[in-house]
Amino acid sequence: MSVELLALFAICPILVALVLMVGLRWPSTRAMPLAFLTGAALAMGVWKMPALQISALFIEGVITAVGVLIIVFGALLIYYTMQESGAMETIQAGMTKISPDRRIQAIIIGFMFAAFIEGAAGFGTPAALAAPLLLGLGFPPICAAVICLVFNSVPVTFGAVGTPVLVGFKSIEAIAMQAAGVTDPALVYKTIGEYATLMHLPMAFILPIFMLGFMTRFYGKNKSWAEGFAAWKYCIMASICFVIPYLALAWLVGPELPSLLGGIIGLGILVVLTKNGVCVPKTVWTFDDPENWDPNWTGEISASNVTEFKEHMSQTMAWMPYILCGLLLVVTRVPAFHVGALIKGTVTVGLTDILGLKAAMAGIAGYEAFKGISASIDLLWLPGTIPFILVSLLTIVMHRMSGKATATAWGTALAKMKAPTIALLAAVALVSIFKGSAFNPAGYVSMPMALAKTIAAVAGNAWPALASYAGGLGAFITGSNTVSDMLFANFQWDTATALGYDMFGHYIIVAAQGVGGAMGNMICVHNIVAACAVCGLIGKEGFILKRTFWPFMLYSIPVGIVASVLIFCR
């Protein structure tokens, strides 16, 4: 069967999800199970995968989804714990003193604070923390979700202390070292990161300005792009605060720290400048009264509609849960502290070679493929456990919460988990089928690879302008920049070879893959469902995808231009 025909089949589950959620406005709780069933049927009917293998992949997906759900639950728990303790209202009062302007708050929280969290933890953590904070400040829930999803793009290539680069491109390490004539693998990853920063650079300045205009156009009282664009000087200042350490660390050190330190250094400088009124717009922009909002903007969790906030504690104490989250993420994720090695792998639950023994006993052809079907949850390494749940427990003591307030926080967080559980189980199980289709009795390429090869064949010499779309496709399917890079790193390298590029041309194409995986985070169903869960918007995934699609397309244009210029104009 031709790769093109395989690609046509492979896109069907994606189309099912898109048509149901975006076109028919179905909630993900109904759409994603049908998309999963479509993928399972195609895996069995076209890729000839046995039912037992599909079952094993489903179990793998369920285990992986449980890990994601723990992160979502931990984020919800922090939010409701701080709400019940009075910390959230205190933060609202403090942020109003820094600036009551929602445009300023969107940049400080959604762009800069989230970049730091991405650099430390990644894997959907920024939206899980930042979106509820914006919600508590009075942002419409759907606006908070969209802002945090879109802004979580520039820092993602270097998220989780460089994991998308260091782990995602591990498969091409040896061949890249040989091509470059180097013996230190760190030079390979550093070079990929350097080119990636150049591709991210235009959008690091364009995206904040665009998203503020986007916010005021679609969620403002006057439906005006100009009201958001009016804060362009502040956006440029914020971008400079982030980009200077971001670039310096990527080019002088490596891929581990650009987003983490770029975010925290930029955040500190930006807050000081904001307090001193530097580049702050003269007029304050806020949302309309909540009673005038479109019903589609809200869900199970209402935005704060309080106009005067009371400080129940000091600002330091109110922010302490977030401060502790940041500190714990840095201490456990940065190798120099040697703490991560002490907790990583100490408490792990999961399964290895899922149903493999049963497949061997049943005499299923190709049962060796089951050896690759494994999933586990590293409970203490999971951000949902440390720091989220741990910090939530510490907050009870720090904020001297009553038993009633604590019970309310935990009960509300648990109650909000029903809908995202259904959606995420189906979405992540579908991801497992996509990845697992690489091991099939028919000998076909995997579903994602069929899609990528077809796109590359159509693109030809225009591939540098389009290479990021393969990364975006991988992130859309898998919900992870790291996994997207793992899926397509060798494909991108081989495509560069087929096009006759030199060594640096290969690096540029691979870097475009990494940047595409980062920008794909804003449209992947996995992240959208998680963001909807913490904002109480389960059922509104289609609305959010329609909003994040256009920033994704905008992002791809300068990335493609920079990649093309780097290859053809050297």
Side-chain angles (χ1 to χ4, degrees):
M1 189 178 297
S2 69
V3 172
E4 293 79 10
L5 187 56
L6 288 173
L8 187 61
F9 284 120
I11 203 172
C12 288
I14 298 173
L15 290 177
V16 168
L18 291 177
V19 169
L20 294 180
M21 288 196 300
V22 179
L24 300 180
R25 299 184 179 181
W26 282 26
S28 60
T29 51
R30 294 170 59 195
M32 290 315 301
L34 284 177
F36 165 75
L37 291 175
T38 303
L42 288 168
M44 294 176 65
V46 178
W47 276 262
K48 307 301 180 184
M49 295 164 64
L52 197 62
Q53 186 179 1
I54 301 295
S55 300
L57 291 168
F58 174 76
I59 295 171
E60 177 192 49
V62 167
I63 295 172
T64 304
V66 169
V68 179
L69 287 165
I70 292 174
I71 295 175
V72 172
F73 172 71
L76 284 170
L77 187 59
I78 284 181
Y79 174 73
Y80 285 112
T81 299
M82 293 177 66
Q83 192 176 66
E84 292 296 324
S85 74
M88 192 58 68
E89 186 175 4
T90 303
I91 289 173
Q92 291 166 331
M95 283 299 298
T96 301
K97 289 179 181 179
I98 294 175
S99 175
D101 194 316
R102 302 306 189 196
R103 297 168 298 183
I104 305 301
Q105 295 172 356
I107 296 296
I108 292 176
I109 302 296
F111 182 61
M112 205 70 78
F113 174 70
F116 162 65
I117 297 300
E118 174 63 36
F123 300 102
T125 308
L129 279 181
L133 185 50
L134 290 179
L135 188 70
L137 290 171
F139 281 63
I142 200 165
C143 177
V146 169
I147 287 288
C148 291
L149 283 166
V150 174
F151 277 150
N152 192 33
S153 48
V154 179
V156 172
T157 299
F158 306 104
V161 201
T163 297
V165 175
L166 298 173
V167 176
F169 295 120
K170 186 72 174 178
S171 63
I172 62 167
E173 177 187 288
I175 189 172
M177 288 170 61
Q178 183 180 6
V182 298
T183 57
D184 185 0
L187 294 175
V188 171
Y189 301 121
K190 183 172 177 291
T191 304
I192 294 172
E194 289 169 357
Y195 284 124
T197 59
L198 297 180
M199 296 177 202
H200 277 303
L201 189 58
M203 288 307 295
F205 287 91
I206 295 171
L207 196 63
I209 300 172
F210 175 80
M211 284 310 297
L212 291 192
F214 194 91
M215 179 176 76
T216 58
R217 165 62 182 85
F218 289 102
Y219 305 106
K221 179 180 180 180
N222 299 319
K223 306 298 181 185
S224 167
W225 287 93
E227 289 178 338
F229 292 160
W232 68 271
K233 291 182 182 179
Y234 185 84
C235 292
I236 294 294
M237 180 179 74
S239 296
I240 291 173
C241 291
F242 172 74
V243 161
I244 290 177
Y246 177 81
L247 287 175
L249 288 160
W251 283 78
L252 299 176
V253 181
E256 292 91 348
L257 300 175
S259 295
L260 191 154
L261 292 184
I264 194 63
I265 292 171
L267 177 63
I269 295 172
L270 183 63
V271 169
V272 172
L273 292 173
T274 304
K275 285 183 175 180
N276 285 279
V278 180
C279 293
V280 173
K282 294 181 180 179
T283 58
V284 174
W285 185 89
T286 61
F287 296 102
D288 197 4
D289 294 333
E291 57 264 25
N292 297 325
W293 291 353
D294 186 319
N296 287 318
W297 296 359
T298 58
E300 295 178 354
I301 303 175
S302 299
S304 173
N305 58 3
V306 179
T307 55
E308 295 185 7
F309 302 105
K310 177 182 178 182
E311 295 194 44
H312 300 270
M313 59 192 76
S314 69
Q315 286 295 321
T316 300
M317 183 56 68
W319 277 94
M320 190 56 65
Y322 289 115
I323 294 171
L324 287 176
C325 281
L327 288 174
L328 285 170
L329 287 169
V330 170
V331 170
T332 56
R333 266 60 181 178
V334 176
F337 291 103
H338 304 291
V339 175
L342 298 177
I343 64 173
K344 194 172 184 179
T346 54
V347 183
T348 303
V349 294
L351 296 172
T352 302
D353 301 340
I354 302 172
L355 302 182
L357 179 60
K358 188 170 183 179
M361 293 176 64
I364 294 176
Y367 71 87
E368 294 86 357
F370 286 80
K371 294 181 179 179
I373 305 178
S374 303
S376 63
I377 301 172
D378 196 341
L379 288 174
L380 297 185
W381 184 251
L382 202 67
T385 308
I386 297 178
F388 292 176
I389 294 176
L390 174 61
V391 169
S392 297
L393 293 171
L394 293 174
T395 301
I396 296 171
V397 179
M398 290 189 300
H399 293 178
R400 300 177 182 179
M401 293 176 63
S402 66
K404 181 179 179 181
T406 302
T408 300
W410 280 75
T412 307
L414 285 168
K416 301 296 183 184
M417 291 301 297
K418 180 180 178 181
T421 297
I422 298 170
L424 280 170
L425 287 177
V428 181
L430 178 59
V431 169
S432 291
I433 288 179
F434 268 103
K435 293 190 298 180
S437 62
F439 304 97
N440 61 87
Y444 297 146
V445 297
S446 68
M447 294 181 182
M449 191 59 73
L451 289 167
K453 282 179 177 269
T454 301
I455 295 171
V458 172
N461 288 326
W463 185 243
L466 301 174
S468 63
Y469 285 104
L473 172 67
F476 174 78
I477 292 172
T478 67
S480 166
N481 189 1
T482 302
V483 178
S484 176
D485 293 343
M486 292 170 68
L487 279 177
F488 294 140
N490 290 93
F491 159 74
Q492 294 277 20
W493 188 274
D494 292 343
T495 301
T497 300
L499 292 171
Y501 296 154
D502 61 12
M503 176 190 65
F504 290 104
H506 283 71
Y507 276 113
I508 292 165
I509 293 298
V510 169
Q513 158 65 37
V515 175
M519 70 188 195
N521 266 253
M522 65 178 80
I523 60 169
C524 73
V525 176
H526 179 295
N527 284 359
I528 290 174
V529 171
C532 284
V534 297
C535 292
L537 292 168
I538 292 296
K540 305 291 179 67
E541 296 83 5
F543 288 99
I544 290 180
L545 184 55
K546 287 170 69 175
R547 290 286 185 256
T548 59
F549 174 77
W550 296 111
F552 168 81
M553 294 302 294
L554 173 66
Y555 209 113
S556 66
I557 296 171
V559 171
I561 292 172
V562 172
S564 299
V565 168
L566 288 173
I567 284 183
F568 297 122
C569 298
R570 283 189 296 108

